[in-house]
């Protein structure tokens, strides 16, 4: 998402984003976009390819039979990149394709491919229209778990990403201007990382899941319920002197979860410009003697608003239901409100 954001900020389009052109190293957690000899520079370098099968935007496929100079012909651009980016993120997280469902539009397989990915393209998890929903009996036997959205619906990725998937594959599928930008994906992915919980089952294949916003959370992959109480922290920012507003960002707590500067202050934005100093944790959460506590490592102005007590660096505060903790008194500093789930 960051790489695509950077390209688009420079006025460029990649034109062929796909799993062949993105290399991910799971060990160093780094990703690299390659094959940029097909970069599209408006009015200078026109697109040379229309893309890779699973990732071509519907409008490009639908008009590919027209002449290159035809004004109705759609060619790869930033908006088609955004379709490919959404499809990539969906496939990485859910291990299936967002448009390859149960509907057959034409008995000729080539025509069917062009229709189902082009003019007639439809989200396999469309909330109102079941036309292209996955038919379980068509799945190959090893695909039945991830391939069937009834087992793992797209909503398990949490509220921020679900919202963008709906925007990309329902609202924006045939209306390119409504597709989420790369920056929106980056923000939603980062907020979602703050919602993940470790699964308590040692044999769970996934080991982590996104908190489902219920008072009795459980792992959607193996069905194991969460054990013990679970602090949910909602971040608030100071709107004016007396008013604090919710940030629409929440931090889930688990044993040895960290607190970072980008949680503490609105002035620190979690993007590619963070310094090594900014990436150092400023506090951590731990389950200590039967209680959840936040340990302040280096924040000078932390304060327990509920008890009206300072929390100096090196000390800790217990997380209890309804507790308010000011993380920083500086401009842009946030307040956390604690809710205890699963009590």
């Amino acid at each position: 998402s960051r790489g695509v954001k950077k390209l688009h900020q420079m006025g460029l389009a990649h034109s062929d984003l796909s799993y062949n052109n993105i290399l991910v190293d799971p060990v160093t957690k780094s990703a690299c976009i390659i094959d940029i000899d097909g970069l599209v520079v408006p009015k200078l370098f026109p697109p040379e390819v229309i893309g890779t099968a699973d990732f071509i935007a519907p409008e490009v496929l639908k008009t590919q039979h027209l002449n290159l100079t035809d004004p109705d012909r759609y060619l790869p651009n930033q908006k088609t990149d955004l379709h490919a980016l959404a499809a990539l993120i969906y496939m990485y997280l859910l291990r299936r394709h967002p448009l390859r469902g149960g509907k057959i539009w034409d008995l000729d397989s080539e025509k069917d491919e062009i229709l189902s990915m082009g003019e007639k393209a439809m989200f396999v998890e469309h909330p109102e229209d079941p036309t292209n929903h996955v038919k379980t009996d068509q799945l190959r036997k090893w695909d039945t778990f991830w391939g069937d959205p009834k087992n793992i619906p797209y909503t398990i990725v949490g509220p921020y990403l679900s919202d963008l998937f709906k925007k990309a594959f329902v609202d924006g599928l045939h209306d390119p201007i409504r597709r989420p930008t790369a920056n929106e994906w980056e923000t939603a992915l980062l907020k979602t990382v703050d919602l993940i919980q470790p699964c308590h089952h040692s044999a769970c294949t996934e080991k982590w899941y996104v908190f489902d916003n219920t008072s009795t959370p459980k792992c959607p992959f193996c069905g194991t319920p969460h054990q013990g109480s679970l602090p949910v922290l909602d971040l608030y920012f100071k709107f004016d002197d007396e008013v604090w507003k919710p940030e629409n960002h929440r931090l889930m707590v688990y044993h040895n979860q960290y607190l970072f500067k980008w949680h503490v202050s609105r002035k620190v934005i979690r993007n590619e410009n963070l310094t090594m100093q900014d990436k150092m944790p400023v506090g951590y959460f731990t389950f200590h003697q039967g209680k959840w506590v936040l340990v302040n490592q280096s924040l000078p102005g932390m304060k327990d608003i509920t008890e009206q007590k300072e929390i100096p660096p090196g000390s800790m505060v217990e997380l209890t239901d309804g507790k308010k903790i000011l993380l920083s008194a500086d401009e842009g500093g946030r307040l956390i409100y604690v809710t205890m789930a699963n009590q």
Side-chain angles (χ1 to χ4, degrees):
S1 298
R2 260 178 204 160
V4 174
K5 174 183 79 173
K6 272 279 191 261
L7 276 174
H8 288 186
Q9 280 169 347
M10 296 187 245
L12 309 170
H14 184 283
S15 84
D16 191 13
L17 285 172
S18 76
Y19 38 51
N20 302 328
N21 293 336
I22 293 183
L23 309 179
V24 180
D25 178 357
V27 179
T28 59
K29 301 183 175 68
S30 57
C32 178
I33 301 175
I34 61 163
D35 206 1
I36 54 173
D37 55 348
L39 274 185
V40 176
V41 185
K43 299 192 173 56
L44 193 61
F45 294 115
E48 292 172 357
V49 290
I50 64 165
T52 301
D54 276 333
F55 302 97
I56 302 171
E59 65 273 17
V60 173
L61 215 48
K62 182 179 155 186
T63 60
Q64 66 172 358
H65 62 284
L66 300 173
N67 199 311
L68 274 175
T69 52
D70 190 315
D72 290 332
R73 169 95 190 247
Y74 276 92
L75 292 167
N77 57 34
Q78 292 190 351
K79 294 285 179 286
T80 65
D81 274 359
L82 294 178
H83 170 77
L85 180 65
L88 261 170
I89 292 171
Y90 183 92
M91 290 175 84
Y92 277 140
L93 295 178
L94 296 162
R95 307 176 206 178
R96 55 175 181 254
H97 194 280
L99 306 178
R100 294 194 184 277
K103 177 68 179 162
I104 294 167
W105 297 99
D106 196 299
L107 292 174
D108 176 332
S109 59
E110 274 183 36
K111 283 184 189 159
D112 182 61
E113 172 76 6
I114 288 168
L115 286 170
S116 64
M117 302 298 271
E119 186 182 350
K120 302 281 194 186
M122 184 183 253
F123 187 29
V124 297
E125 298 186 70
H126 197 296
E128 285 94 45
D129 187 340
T131 306
N132 196 31
H133 281 190
V134 173
K135 293 183 170 66
T136 317
D137 56 351
Q138 292 176 354
L139 292 170
R140 292 172 299 197
K141 61 179 182 296
W142 57 85
D143 275 347
T144 48
F145 187 67
W146 284 97
D148 187 354
K150 284 190 210 60
N151 290 331
I152 300 289
Y154 78 98
T155 47
I156 66 145
V157 297
Y160 311 119
L161 290 170
S162 295
D163 196 33
L164 295 191
F165 282 143
K166 187 174 172 299
K167 266 171 116 173
F169 301 130
V170 178
D171 313 339
L173 190 59
H174 296 284
D175 188 1
I177 200 82
R178 295 172 75 180
R179 290 172 189 158
T181 63
N183 190 40
E184 287 177 78
W185 284 111
E186 182 188 342
T187 305
L189 285 159
L190 290 169
K191 281 178 156 184
T192 302
V193 169
D194 282 340
L195 289 183
I196 59 173
Q197 275 288 308
C199 176
H200 287 276
H201 195 301
S202 56
C204 179
T205 53
E206 299 306 306
K207 304 208 175 353
W208 294 86
Y209 62 93
V210 179
F211 174 62
D212 59 6
N213 212 8
T214 65
S215 52
T216 54
K218 67 176 195 291
C219 172
F221 307 109
C222 68
T224 307
H226 179 86
Q227 289 149 12
S229 61
L230 178 62
V232 180
L233 312 180
D234 284 298
L235 300 176
Y236 283 75
F237 68 97
K238 197 164 193 171
F239 183 66
D240 59 34
D241 284 351
E242 295 301 310
V243 181
W244 288 82
K245 285 198 167 178
E247 190 80 71
N248 188 24
H249 186 170
R250 124 185 311 184
L251 180 62
M252 298 302 301
V253 173
Y254 50 85
H255 188 54
N256 293 341
Q257 156 77 309
Y258 288 117
L259 183 72
F260 290 97
K261 279 187 184 169
W262 57 78
H263 297 128
V264 172
S265 169
R266 296 191 94 187
K267 289 189 165 175
V268 181
I269 296 164
R270 190 178 179 188
N271 61 19
E272 66 279 4
N273 303 324
L274 285 177
T275 61
M276 282 316 286
Q277 192 58 40
D278 289 338
K279 293 181 185 178
M280 301 296 287
V282 289
Y284 64 92
F285 301 92
T286 183
F287 195 62
H288 178 68
Q289 295 176 344
K291 295 174 181 164
W292 284 104
V293 294
L294 164 57
V295 178
N296 180 5
Q297 287 173 285
S298 58
L299 293 170
M302 198 195 260
K303 188 177 180 186
D304 181 338
I305 299 291
T306 312
E307 307 270 331
Q308 286 299 322
K309 264 199 227 143
E310 299 292 327
I311 310 161
S315 66
M316 62 189 186
V317 56
E318 187 187 343
L319 302 177
T320 52
D321 199 55
K323 174 149 308 212
K324 295 178 188 142
I325 300 166
L326 181 66
L327 296 175
S328 164
D330 298 343
E331 191 194 343
R334 289 198 180 95
L335 176 134
I336 50 179
Y337 180 80
V338 183
T339 310
M340 298 301 273
N342 213 41
Q343 278 199 321

